[in-house]
Amino acid sequence: MELENFEVIKNQGWFTFNSKRDLKVLGFKTHRLAKMDLEKTKIQVTLGSTELGQYLGLNSEIGTLILAFFPEQEVEFIRTTNGQSSKPEYPSFAYSGASDELNDFLLKLENLAHARAAESHA
């Protein structure tokens, strides 16, 4: 799988979508925005569940963003599949769309993270 603006890594049963922009300068400890199962049926948006993402309240805005891009989908908040109870819940949704649609969604997500982090530093 390839996306125009993001690094896609196949990792332990998932495709991870990493920002090519430096999110660490904003205070995020990762460049990962989201992950998708290898069957390409479900996406978990992970950035809002990071320490900074939780502080900024990103998950509620991410849920709204998902519905704006994929209005036919239902947003679920589920824990990661590794079973760690201390992990936060990720906004997740079923996915069967085109790569360019996913690329556009991730661009909006990345821009949202940049905007909220900049506001918190202002």
Side-chain angles (χ1 to χ4, degrees):
M1 164 167 249
E2 288 186 29
L3 293 177
E4 184 178 340
N5 299 94
F6 301 93
E7 179 184 35
V8 180
I9 299 171
K10 188 175 176 181
N11 183 18
Q12 298 179 353
W14 297 91
F15 290 107
T16 60
F17 305 115
N18 295 336
S19 175
K20 290 182 180 176
R21 293 163 67 185
D22 190 0
L23 297 179
K24 291 185 178 183
V25 300
L26 300 173
F28 290 97
K29 294 181 180 177
T30 182
H31 291 287
R32 186 174 76 184
L33 300 170
K35 61 184 183 176
M36 178 170 54
D37 62 345
L38 294 179
E39 294 79 29
K40 301 179 184 175
T41 60
K42 182 166 287 280
I43 294 177
Q44 292 183 354
V45 181
T46 56
L47 188 67
S49 299
T50 62
E51 189 176 318
L52 181 58
Q54 290 180 64
Y55 171 77
L56 297 173
L58 286 181
N59 274 345
S60 63
E61 289 187 82
I62 289 169
T64 302
L65 184 64
I66 292 168
L67 293 175
F69 267 81
F70 309 103
E72 72 286 353
Q73 296 301 325
E74 188 174 309
V75 178
E76 299 177 82
F77 286 83
I78 59 174
R79 293 194 192 283
T80 186
T81 56
N82 68 8
Q84 293 182 13
S85 61
S86 63
K87 291 283 188 180
E89 294 181 333
Y90 299 134
S92 304
F93 60 101
Y95 179 76
S96 60
S99 296
D100 58 339
E101 187 178 38
L102 179 57
N103 190 74
D104 291 346
F105 168 75
L106 291 172
L107 280 172
K108 288 283 189 190
L109 175 62
E110 185 180 58
N111 289 337
L112 173 65
H114 273 266
R116 294 301 169 264
E119 288 171 5
S120 75
H121 292 8

